Amino acid sequence: MTMEQEKHQKGQPRRPGPSPPRSFREHLFHKLPDYAGPYSVGMMEIEMPVREPRTFSRIKRNHTHALRMDTVLFAIYYPCDSSSYASSKGGKPSKATWLPRPRALTSKGYAKFFNIPHLPITAYIAGTTMFTKLPAWRNAKLAGCRSDSLPRASSSACSQDTLTESGESQPKFPVIFFTHGLGGSRTCYSAVCGELASNGFVVVAMEHRDGSGARSYVNIPPEGDIAAGLETDSTDSRRYYKVDYIVPQDNAQDTSPHNTRGVDTELRHSQIQMRMAEVEEAYYVMELLNNGQGDLVNKNNLRKKGNAGSSSKGLEGINWTDWEGRLFLRNVTAMGHSFGGATTAEIVRQSDRFPYIGQGILLDAWGQATPQKGEVTHQTLRKPLLAINSEAFMHWPENFKRLGDIAREAKGEGALTWMMTIKGSTHLSQTDFAILYPHWMSFFIKTLVNPRRAMYLTVNSCLEFLNRVLPPEFTSGSDWVDEGILRTEVVVADELPHDYRPSDKWMASRLRIPNELRLRIAYWIRRHSKSSGIATDVKGRPLVGLVDFAPGSEVWMHLSPDQEERHPMELSQMRST
């Protein structure tokens, strides 16, 4: 029995939901692991015209508004019935590519984002992840079973006929809105989003067009409705435009801890405003699906054959009646990484604007870009909050203090609040990049923890949090792993080790590895020998990292509703080594 199975709430081990088969070509490229939850995962992509096209702020680039919202784009990861997919589509699964289409041009967008020549980036991506697919069934049927009805060890699959005969109503699923960080997209966090979906959540992964992503393509609606004061070129046959990363003017390094000018708050706060508007539009689309208006969504969807960035499959094959009345659209969870964490904090803060948001999850949030109370709104954080930091960002004193202030603000208002750090992790540990490029993460970013283990710690912490804060009807029948992560004892500030704290030059970017050569030799030996006392995946394979932290001691807990903060984390203490 694997470690996760031993910690599981039920005695009999659960069986992961079936994933689509991999083609021969997929085995030649870097690949993402199958999801571990009891549900199979479906995925669809939607781009819809917004109800009120508009611009945000006075910021311009090339004499035109830089922040404009004409459409909203997102991917939905959801629990699905993979058996119905086979019967309705001839058994030929379709899967979305991890790199958004058009892939070569998106690669150029990443090259521009990293400010390096595009040919090396395009060539490298072509040889590694150009054809990487998500382990999810495109446009599959929404699951009709509760997770406790799904197959466990030596049991048969749940079928729609069985569901009908038992008289059991189809389950409703809680919803999460995920907002990405700088350089991100709707697929950059597919591991985390897909894992949550495999545990019974409908996850709406935004692709923001606010100039925070590397590159995104916006399809112009057929009616031509776009932001006021902007025009399309009638002589241009292309019905789309691209949005690349916006570099802060005269302050290109505003993300750096060493930047004396600090964060470009005019740009970043304006981007957060646009991001929140995009979340509102995506929520409206989810309301349409839940209210039985899926056909209207399908009719107006701009991600279809012939349009920019689209798959030829579009939304074909989806029975929209399956989605009617199947979503919990109250007590929705807002979740985001890095700049998306800053966005999430502001969404949770603005209760009047987002009454349907019940709680927030901040993944290694960019605290310096997070508006303070009074900068955008005078509302106070009053909703449950979970902040999961990387060790690399923990060693960034100003950022860590800002996040601590945010967490203490919520806790001070009586909200259930946790703040923790995953040992040996770096800023990209909660993204797909860590899983797809583990050697880059190890050698250049100096990540210590196994990438997949960092992802499982992130997801399982989220599940424990949501199991405690969501209403009982949302979690009834859930089949979630409980590792007791949130029950970790709060650490005293003086006890935080600095063994891997980087020099000021590499602050927040990477960790420091003392005796690195010796450590890597020991890691190579452990990888090729039977290891004990190491966390495993659901198949029992050890998740060996450059440094292995014993299960039960893989995180530092800084703030918890179950325990008092044992010592204030002063900035001067964080600077000491």
Side-chain angles (χ1 to χ4, degrees):
M1 184 176 292
T2 70
M3 191 164 298
E4 285 203 11
Q5 291 165 350
E6 288 175 355
K7 290 181 176 288
H8 200 269
Q9 295 169 335
K10 300 184 185 295
Q12 192 177 24
R14 66 182 185 180
R15 189 168 77 188
S19 297
R22 299 182 190 271
S23 66
F24 172 76
R25 185 170 64 176
E26 288 181 73
H27 289 285
L28 303 177
F29 296 89
H30 295 192
K31 53 184 178 289
L32 294 160
D34 294 339
Y35 304 121
Y39 285 105
S40 295
V41 175
M43 189 265 202
M44 70 173 80
E45 297 173 296
I46 295 175
E47 182 180 10
M48 288 279 286
V50 299
R51 291 167 292 176
E52 182 188 348
R54 58 194 186 274
T55 60
F56 296 80
S57 86
R58 297 170 298 176
I59 298 173
K60 292 186 176 183
R61 294 292 187 272
N62 299 321
H63 308 292
T64 187
H65 285 281
L67 305 181
R68 54 183 287 191
M69 183 177 70
D70 295 316
T71 70
V72 62
L73 172 63
F74 53 90
I76 305 177
Y77 301 82
Y78 57 93
C80 80
D81 179 359
S82 59
S83 61
S84 66
Y85 188 101
S87 62
S88 63
K89 299 178 176 64
K92 295 181 179 180
S94 173
K95 294 180 287 184
T97 56
W98 176 76
L99 188 67
R101 298 172 184 269
R103 288 168 286 188
L105 295 179
T106 298
S107 298
K108 290 184 179 181
Y110 274 109
K112 184 178 179 181
F113 174 72
F114 290 115
N115 195 28
I116 56 179
H118 73 86
L119 283 179
I121 283 286
T122 303
Y124 184 72
I125 290 177
T128 54
T129 54
M130 184 74 80
F131 298 100
T132 295
K133 301 289 186 72
L134 304 186
W137 308 79
R138 189 200 295 273
N139 299 348
K141 180 183 176 67
L142 185 65
C145 294
R146 289 156 49 107
S147 62
D148 53 2
S149 302
L150 292 169
R152 303 186 73 82
S154 68
S155 65
S156 59
C158 167
S159 68
Q160 190 66 35
D161 293 338
T162 303
L163 185 69
T164 304
E165 291 171 5
S166 67
E168 183 182 352
S169 61
Q170 291 185 317
K172 296 179 68 173
F173 298 108
V175 176
I176 298 173
F177 280 85
F178 193 99
T179 168
H180 62 73
L182 300 183
S185 70
R186 64 192 184 277
T187 58
C188 277
Y189 302 85
S190 69
V192 168
C193 294
E195 282 295 335
L196 290 168
S198 76
N199 281 281
F201 289 88
V202 172
V203 184
V204 180
M206 306 297 302
E207 179 159 312
H208 296 293
R209 273 58 173 280
D210 61 334
S212 63
R215 175 166 290 182
S216 185
Y217 285 84
V218 181
N219 286 292
I220 298 173
E223 297 79 10
D225 293 335
I226 58 174
L230 300 175
E231 297 180 355
T232 57
D233 185 355
S234 59
T235 64
D236 192 344
S237 60
R238 294 179 299 179
R239 299 290 299 172
Y240 67 87
Y241 61 89
K242 72 176 185 291
V243 179
D244 285 347
Y245 180 75
I246 297 175
V247 179
Q249 201 160 29
D250 303 322
N251 191 12
Q253 301 298 319
D254 83 323
T255 60
S256 171
H258 309 296
N259 181 23
T260 57
R261 299 189 59 182
V263 174
D264 185 340
T265 54
E266 180 185 8
L267 172 62
R268 301 308 182 190
H269 289 184
S270 297
Q271 288 176 317
I272 287 176
Q273 289 289 353
M274 179 169 168
R275 284 165 160 248
M276 292 192 296
E278 289 175 312
V279 169
E280 289 175 312
E281 291 297 325
Y283 181 81
Y284 172 70
V285 176
M286 299 307 291
E287 283 187 311
L288 292 177
L289 296 183
N290 199 50
N291 294 337
Q293 296 178 276
D295 288 334
L296 179 62
V297 174
N298 185 40
K299 177 182 177 181
N300 290 281
N301 176 47
L302 297 170
R303 288 284 156 152
K304 55 188 177 182
K305 186 176 182 179
N307 283 4
S310 304
S311 163
S312 60
K313 303 294 182 181
L315 296 175
E316 69 177 31
I318 298 178
N319 184 350
W320 297 105
T321 58
D322 293 332
W323 288 79
E324 186 172 355
R326 301 291 304 283
L327 305 175
F328 285 115
L329 288 178
R330 56 184 176 85
N331 255 296
V332 170
T333 301
M335 182 175 180
H337 174 257
S338 191
F339 191 41
T343 306
T344 297
E346 189 62 22
I347 289 174
V348 175
R349 182 185 295 280
Q350 296 197 24
S351 297
D352 293 348
R353 182 175 176 180
F354 296 94
Y356 46 85
I357 297 295
Q359 51 280 320
I361 300 175
L362 315 181
L363 302 184
D364 219 21
W366 183 14
Q368 304 308 99
T370 306
Q372 299 186 65
K373 181 181 178 181
E375 289 185 326
V376 177
T377 176
H378 290 281
Q379 296 181 67
T380 303
L381 278 164
R382 302 176 184 273
K383 296 177 180 178
L385 209 62
L386 170 64
I388 308 176
N389 307 323
S390 71
E391 182 172 350
F393 262 37
M394 184 190 77
H395 293 304
W396 179 3
E398 294 82 5
N399 198 77
F400 189 77
K401 183 181 184 300
R402 176 70 68 85
L403 290 177
D405 291 343
I406 292 170
R408 281 186 283 272
E409 178 185 344
K411 186 177 181 180
E413 294 296 324
L416 294 174
T417 307
W418 288 264
M419 179 176 169
M420 54 182 277
T421 294
I422 297 176
K423 297 179 181 179
S425 61
T426 52
H427 190 54
L428 294 180
S429 291
Q430 293 158 330
T431 73
D432 289 357
F433 291 102
I435 296 174
L436 291 171
Y437 297 101
H439 299 303
W440 282 87
M441 293 291 292
S442 175
F443 284 99
F444 296 102
I445 311 298
K446 311 299 183 185
T447 304
L448 304 173
V449 66
N450 179 282
R452 290 181 61 191
R453 181 56 182 160
M455 186 265 294
Y456 289 135
L457 285 168
T458 298
V459 171
N460 291 345
S461 299
C462 294
L463 293 176
E464 291 181 27
F465 170 73
L466 293 170
N467 199 31
R468 293 188 61 168
V469 303
L470 288 175
E473 63 267 31
F474 285 39
T475 60
S476 175
S478 63
D479 200 28
W480 300 337
V481 170
D482 185 352
E483 296 192 60
I485 300 170
L486 296 191
R487 295 190 291 274
T488 301
E489 186 177 352
V490 172
V491 69
V492 177
D494 291 334
E495 296 176 355
L496 286 173
H498 297 279
D499 298 348
Y500 307 115
R501 183 184 185 274
S503 64
D504 287 345
K505 176 182 178 181
W506 299 108
M507 187 67 65
S509 301
R510 69 184 196 183
L511 296 174
R512 179 179 68 91
I513 305 179
N515 305 310
E516 184 171 350
L517 178 59
R518 185 174 64 185
L519 196 65
R520 291 193 182 279
I521 293 173
Y523 165 69
W524 185 87
I525 294 173
R526 290 199 315 278
R527 280 191 62 192
H528 295 84
S529 61
K530 292 185 177 179
S531 303
S532 59
I534 298 176
T536 60
D537 63 15
V538 292
K539 295 182 179 180
R541 295 172 297 200
L543 299 172
V544 181
L546 196 57
V547 174
D548 293 320
F549 304 94
S553 62
E554 297 169 280
V555 305
W556 289 298
M557 186 65 66
H558 310 296
L559 200 67
S560 167
D562 303 323
Q563 307 168 56
E564 291 297 322
E565 191 173 5
R566 295 172 59 192
H567 197 282
M569 299 177 189
E570 298 295 336
L571 185 60
S572 59
Q573 291 176 319
M574 293 303 301
R575 288 191 184 279
S576 64
T577 58

